[in-house]
Amino acid sequence: MQHATASWLVDNTGLSFEQIAEFCGIHILEVNAMADDLAGSKYTGRDPVQAHELTNEEIARAEADPNYRMKLQKGPDQVRRTKGPRYTPVSKRQDKPDGIAWLLRNHPEISDAQVGKLIGTTRTTINAIRDREHWNIANIVPKDPVTLGLCSQRELDAVVAKAAKKAGIEPEVPEDKKLGGDKEALIAELHEERAQAERDAEAALAAESGEEEIATEDLTAETLFKDS
């Protein structure tokens, strides 16, 4: 609300236009227009002191020194909501029953409190869907809450892991069928290569033995021929 703050400072302080413009983050000509009532829009002044953005001492110091630049004070700590169901945009609230049904079907180990915190719902709704007493049960189709945008995959994984650990359930490690198939094929190929190598060695040895026999027979025939 820079312009509303600037309007209040123009009307209630003796600050220079440059000081006001720099503090509010607007152009000095805009401040000048406010002072001359030439601004296209009339702004309702906003007191930065009541908003805990400035103190009277800070304003007085700036009024006494035109070169001084006011510093924004730390405002009061905002009250943050830490309890209760998580907020879900209106456009996605109609998808909650589908996400709850999916969790009840695929992860029964998750407690109702965890489902309520993850999806942002109540135990009454969860029990109604579980007992098939929900008013719209005929149209509820279990769908992954991550796909529906009701929670992130990281949040879902964390809740599932926590619930599984509490229930003493070992996490399932999906079998890599492709890797298993490749491994078996590689082993079979190695066995075939070894068997082929043995066959080649036997064939080579047999061939070498056959050549020696032929050479011996030739030598014997030649000797007999000479003797005759």
Side-chain angles (χ1 to χ4, degrees):
M1 303 181 68
Q2 300 98 317
H3 293 87
T5 301
S7 178
W8 188 93
L9 292 173
V10 168
D11 294 337
N12 296 277
T13 69
L15 298 169
S16 68
F17 294 166
E18 187 176 356
Q19 287 174 310
I20 295 174
E22 186 163 339
F23 176 77
C24 295
I26 61 177
H27 199 279
I28 189 172
L29 294 179
E30 293 182 275
V31 180
N32 189 37
M34 291 179 189
D36 295 337
D37 290 331
L38 298 176
S41 300
K42 300 298 181 181
Y43 297 97
T44 301
R46 174 177 177 273
D47 187 351
V49 177
Q50 290 188 354
H52 304 284
E53 295 174 350
L54 280 176
T55 62
N56 290 320
E57 292 76 10
E58 184 76 359
I59 293 175
R61 183 176 180 181
E63 289 175 329
D65 181 6
N67 295 321
Y68 181 76
R69 296 295 178 262
M70 295 183 295
K71 298 178 178 63
L72 182 68
Q73 304 298 308
K74 181 181 178 181
D77 293 335
Q78 299 294 324
V79 178
R80 297 185 178 181
R81 182 177 179 178
T82 57
K83 295 183 178 180
R86 66 188 298 164
Y87 173 76
T88 304
V90 177
S91 60
K92 295 185 180 297
R93 291 179 186 176
Q94 61 184 3
D95 296 329
K96 284 185 177 184
D98 294 344
I100 295 170
W102 188 91
L103 289 173
L104 294 177
R105 185 185 68 180
N106 294 279
H107 295 286
E109 72 275 10
I110 299 179
S111 67
D112 290 355
Q114 289 175 313
V115 173
K117 186 176 181 180
L118 185 66
I119 301 296
T121 187
T122 63
R123 291 176 184 251
T124 302
T125 302
I126 297 171
N127 288 328
I129 294 174
R130 178 186 289 114
D131 299 336
R132 301 192 64 78
E133 296 177 352
H134 191 274
W135 66 271
N136 195 33
I137 192 65
N139 297 318
I140 294 177
V141 180
K143 294 180 182 178
D144 189 341
V146 176
T147 304
L148 295 173
L150 297 173
C151 65
S152 67
Q153 186 65 54
R154 180 176 297 180
E155 290 172 329
L156 177 60
D157 291 344
V159 170
V160 171
K162 185 176 181 180
K165 182 178 180 181
K166 186 175 181 180
I169 301 174
E170 293 293 333
E172 295 184 2
V173 179
E175 181 182 358
D176 191 341
K177 297 181 178 179
K178 182 177 184 301
L179 179 59
D182 291 345
K183 184 178 180 180
E184 293 177 359
L186 179 60
I187 293 174
E189 184 178 352
L190 290 175
H191 283 318
E192 178 60 27
E193 289 180 356
R194 181 177 297 177
Q196 184 62 43
E198 291 177 354
R199 288 194 295 269
D200 292 343
E202 291 176 357
L205 181 60
E208 183 177 352
S209 299
E211 291 177 357
E212 290 180 354
E213 291 178 359
I214 293 173
T216 301
E217 291 177 356
D218 292 342
L219 180 59
T220 301
E222 183 179 354
T223 304
L224 292 174
F225 179 76
K226 290 180 178 180
D227 292 342
S228 61

